[in-house]
Amino acid sequence: MPPLDLIRQRRSQRRDFRSEPVRRGDIDALIEAARWAPSPFNIQPWELLFITEPAQKAALGELTRRHMSAQMKRRPFLEAAASWTRVTQEEWQEEGDGVYLGDQLPDSGFARLVAPLLLKRPGAAAALAKLGAGSGPGNAAKRAVAEAPLLCVVFRRLDRVSPGANGDVWTLLSIGAMFQNMLLEAEERGIGAQFAVAALETAKGRDETRLLLEAPETCEPILILRMGYLKKETEPILSTRLPAERIAHFNRHGQKKP
């Protein structure tokens, strides 16, 4: 498939995957795609941990549930999330950014009725979560992580930092390039991927994750991907992006023509 078509086709997959294990040859291809990502001074500041053991996946799922439940009780987080959540598909397509609420919730149930109201009242949502009403997203995330055929944990090597005063930024940019390589290779092979990072939002959570995975202090977990072979769906997953004229400039910022 042409690279640009592959880029446009890629989606974050919230749906369930096929239950079969990801083949070792496909995992090797993901690793090879990651290996050839660009990085400043060729420092390659990453390590990858692929997890297939049910017990390890279950432990990461429980850690995800606990941290997501705590996150749902924080009003600042809920306010920020609400600002990027669009209630209708029409609003989502018109804005060209953020996420569509319907993609984040089950197809039916009380949540779809109540969520639009709570988006307008983050304080009330945080209060309800503290009373135990926010357990649904955490439990769903736990199941999604624990039942994924494959998890990939991306570590940032803290002992491999780019030279320069802005070295941390260049290092993180290169890690972004690395897992984009992986995502595109996965798409080519019919493997879906979704970020599952609730446990990594805080320094405490990252440390708990590192200890659970028995990684050294020089390895900071910064991304967890749940992965698996995609089911054949009758409806494609929609997405939207800002129009080119909103993000592209020529010669000077604000100049829209070369």
Side-chain angles (χ1 to χ4, degrees), residues 15-29:
R15 300 169 178 171
D16 291 336
F17 301 126
R18 283 155 43 191
S19 59
E20 65 192 88
V22 177
R23 294 182 288 273
R24 177 56 195 265
D26 285 339
I27 295 176
D28 288 343

Side-chain angles (χ1 to χ4, degrees), residues 49 56 155 207-217 219:
L49 173 61
Q56 278 287 68
F155 292 97
D207 200 46
E208 289 177 344
T209 302
R210 180 183 63 78
L211 291 173
L212 172 66
L213 301 176
E214 301 179 22
E217 291 186 359
C219 288

Side-chain angles (χ1 to χ4, degrees), residues 1-15 17 30 92 96 98-99 103 176-196 223-228 230 235-241:
M1 182 181 297
L4 191 55
D5 289 346
L6 197 62
I7 290 168
R8 288 175 175 148
Q9 179 178 299
R10 185 213 60 80
R11 296 288 185 271
S12 293
Q13 300 290 338
R14 296 176 180 84
R15 300 169 178 171
F17 301 126
L30 298 179
W92 184 46
V99 296
D103 286 341
M178 181 275 294
F179 68 73
Q180 177 73 343
N181 276 14
M182 287 182 57
L183 292 177
L184 294 177
E185 182 64 29
E187 183 70 27
E188 179 72 22
R189 293 172 177 270
I191 299 171
Q194 180 194 13
F195 288 24
L223 175 65
I224 299 173
L225 292 170
R226 55 181 293 270
M227 309 182 81
L230 295 171
E235 296 183 7
I237 298 176
L238 300 177
S239 191
T240 187
R241 292 295 186 274

Side-chain angles (χ1 to χ4, degrees), residues 130-166:
K130 290 177 182 178
L131 294 174
S135 60
N139 289 332
K142 173 182 178 179
R143 183 188 68 81
V145 170
E147 296 181 4
L150 178 68
L151 299 178
C152 176
V153 182
V154 176
F155 292 97
R156 173 190 178 187
R157 284 284 301 270
L158 299 177
D159 56 344
R160 288 177 172 261
V161 178
S162 171
N166 217 22

Side-chain angles (χ1 to χ4, degrees), residues 81-107:
S83 71
W84 291 105
T85 303
R86 316 305 180 201
V87 175
T88 67
Q89 281 197 16
E90 292 75 17
E91 177 193 13
W92 184 46
Q93 294 292 332
E94 183 178 347
E95 293 289 340
D97 57 18
V99 296
Y100 169 48
L101 181 62
D103 286 341
Q104 316 299 313
L105 298 173
D107 290 336

